[in-house]
Amino acid sequence: MSTDLLKRVVIREARPEDDAVVGELLVEAFITQYAKKLPEVVYTDERKRSLRDVAAKRAVAKVLVAEMEGRVVGTVALWPPGAPGSEAWLPGAADLRHLATSVDFHGQGLSTPLLDAAERVAREDWRVPAICLHVRRGAQGVARMYQRRGFLREPSADLDTPSVFLEAFVLRF
């Protein structure tokens, strides 16, 4: 991310008035990126509804947004240990999900300040031992991004559901 762009980004907690834009950002980012990288992936109406239900995420997780000049341009969600819906497999670990940036900013490093903030919440505020996450099998660029940040593959925690195979990664503190 360019230094100029980085200076204009503010990371903050999502508010109720952000729900609609964050939901649309998630749907647009996931559909656009997966369509390019994994054309076989189909997003059902049910999955889109789930992505758009930001209020439900905020009820159990810390949803962060990247804002630039008053516009929400990115998001990530972090479930605390034991929260309903958490997929963390390690005791006391946080669960990171729904990292997405506006299509206008893909490939510009906007995920870095979002992940920095989420890791800071997990490490400093919650004092958890680790962050767990899952990446769709075949999304190699996404997996490499997390690995560059220190996340390690944890095959024993992979999720194989009827509709998707998710590879597990963990960042231990």
Side-chain angles (χ1 to χ4, degrees):
M1 174 179 274
S2 77
T3 306
D4 181 49
L5 189 62
L6 186 58
K7 287 178 186 175
R8 297 180 359 226
V9 173
V10 174
I11 306 298
R12 62 170 175 78
E13 198 162 341
R15 301 183 290 253
E17 59 268 25
D18 299 319
D19 289 355
V21 71
V22 170
E24 290 309 311
L25 185 147
L26 284 165
V27 170
E28 179 187 31
F30 277 60
I31 289 174
T32 302
Q33 288 309 294
Y34 280 123
K36 285 181 194 171
K37 298 172 185 170
L38 301 168
E40 71 280 5
V41 174
V42 175
Y43 272 88
T44 64
D45 288 340
E46 180 182 335
R47 177 66 172 143
K48 290 175 190 175
R49 269 192 302 281
S50 173
L51 287 170
R52 287 182 175 118
D53 193 359
V54 178
K57 289 177 199 54
R58 282 188 306 93
V60 295
K62 183 169 289 268
V63 178
L64 301 174
V65 296
E67 185 180 75
M68 193 164 22
E69 298 168 358
R71 176 181 168 209
V72 172
V73 294
T75 188
V76 68
L78 191 67
W79 271 250
S86 172
E87 295 175 351
W89 59 91
L90 295 174
D95 176 25
L96 188 131
R97 282 195 255 162
H98 299 141
L99 174 65
T101 60
S102 170
V103 174
D104 299 341
F105 293 95
H106 282 176
Q108 296 185 38
L110 189 55
S111 63
T112 298
L114 283 162
L115 289 170
D116 289 347
E119 290 173 18
R120 198 167 29 257
V121 166
R123 189 177 55 253
E124 296 173 13
D125 297 350
W126 297 349
R127 300 193 182 285
V128 300
I131 296 175
C132 299
L133 64 85
H134 290 93
V135 174
R136 184 182 289 269
R137 177 182 277 163
Q140 293 149 343
V142 174
R144 280 192 303 272
M145 175 195 65
Y146 287 120
Q147 288 173 314
R148 283 192 300 270
R149 293 188 66 87
F151 284 82
L152 302 173
R153 268 290 277 129
E154 185 99 8
S156 65
D158 288 352
L159 291 178
D160 189 4
T161 71
S163 60
V164 65
F165 188 94
L166 299 171
E167 296 178 332
F169 291 82
V170 62
L171 176 67
R172 288 184 168 83
F173 300 122

